[in-house]
Amino acid sequence: MLVRAHGLSKTFRGPDGGPVPVLHGVDVKAGECVAVAGPSGCGKSTLLNLLGLLEPLDAGEIWLDDVCVSRLSRRSQCRVRGRSIGYIFQSFLLIAGLTALENVLLAARYVGRPRPEALAEARRLMDRLGVVHRADHYPAQLSGGEQQRVAYCRAVLNAPPLVLADEPTGNLDDGHATVILAELRALCRERGTSVILVTHRADAAARADRVFRLREGRLESQGGNGHS
């Protein structure tokens, strides 16, 4: 999926009560992995929330392929988000009262996908990520690495053409982080998925096709890493 975002503006109130503009622009091609780096509080998560249609824009446009999704109604944006965007959160955001498998299947419920088809795909993904044996366990019974792998399966269950990953390895040790980063690269290579990855980790950014640094609300290209 081709992602284009230009002139994005989201204004917050600073400690002194004055407006703090957050401006962004980015283009991402189908099958490309783009990393966004920058210090805490610079607006990286805000950028993903805007691109993921989780927060309204103050100004600017977001296009997914040939559709300007920022102009759609909130209800239409919800449908686009369920069908076309997968979101991986640093804090996992699994529902405590649901098993691992039930958490993964939530993604299918949001778009009305037939349960038998979704169940087969959920089990296939969980097997690939090494957590299928934990399918009937609740989040509190899973390690941090297992929770993030379950969250990853939920995010990609419907094969969204765009995946947004907000510090997906921030709470993981190196071994579990490597698994998630490898899977994100595999999405690009095997499915042609576009991935936008927010990260503090140099090793995570090094796996991306292009790296941007967010400075004072603007994305500055740090060049490409030469991945195919």
Side-chain angles (χ1 to χ4, degrees):
M1 171 171 280
L2 175 63
V3 182
R4 291 175 291 149
H6 300 288
L8 304 192
S9 176
K10 184 71 175 179
T11 302
F12 298 92
R13 292 287 166 180
D16 61 355
V20 180
V22 182
L23 306 173
H24 310 284
V26 62
D27 287 357
V28 182
K29 297 178 292 186
E32 185 176 33
C33 180
V34 170
V36 179
S40 296
C42 71
K44 302 187 303 298
S45 292
T46 298
L47 173 60
L48 285 197
N49 287 344
L50 295 176
L51 294 175
L53 308 177
L54 295 175
E55 295 185 25
L57 300 172
D58 290 339
E61 292 183 339
I62 299 171
W63 291 75
L64 300 183
D65 288 333
D66 58 353
V67 177
C68 184
V69 295
S70 55
R71 295 178 185 171
L72 299 176
S73 67
R74 294 302 290 173
R75 177 173 292 184
S76 295
Q77 288 181 352
C78 285
R79 287 196 292 267
V80 170
R81 189 166 58 243
R83 182 177 65 252
S84 300
I85 302 173
Y87 214 119
I88 305 173
F89 301 91
Q90 178 179 359
S91 53
F92 320 138
L93 295 186
L94 300 178
I95 296 178
L98 299 180
T99 66
L101 178 60
E102 289 167 343
N103 268 281
V104 175
L105 289 172
L106 274 179
R109 290 179 58 187
Y110 291 149
V111 297
R113 188 174 179 184
R115 181 176 173 82
E117 172 189 299
L119 182 60
E121 178 64 6
R123 290 192 176 279
R124 186 193 70 80
L125 284 168
M126 294 180 75
D127 183 52
R128 174 170 175 146
L129 272 291
V131 288
V132 71
H133 66 294
R134 305 287 266 165
D136 295 327
H137 290 73
Y138 291 90
Q141 299 171 311
L142 305 177
S143 69
E146 288 171 335
Q147 289 187 61
Q148 188 60 295
R149 281 179 278 168
V150 170
Y152 171 89
C153 292
R154 178 185 59 192
V156 304
L157 179 67
N158 297 325
L162 172 62
V163 169
L164 305 176
D166 190 0
E167 293 282 4
T169 61
N171 290 329
L172 305 181
D173 61 29
D174 288 345
H176 288 116
T178 297
V179 171
I180 295 299
L181 294 173
E183 286 298 318
L184 289 173
R185 284 301 312 179
L187 283 179
C188 300
R189 182 177 64 252
E190 297 172 7
R191 294 185 176 182
T193 305
S194 301
V195 174
I196 302 177
L197 166 70
V198 159
T199 184
H200 283 98
R201 298 176 62 124
D203 60 333
R207 290 174 176 261
D209 297 304
R210 287 187 293 150
V211 179
F212 291 87
R213 187 165 183 83
L214 193 55
R215 297 179 188 274
E216 298 180 352
R218 295 190 180 277
L219 286 171
E220 300 176 353
S221 177
Q222 303 292 296
N225 289 321
H227 293 286
S228 58

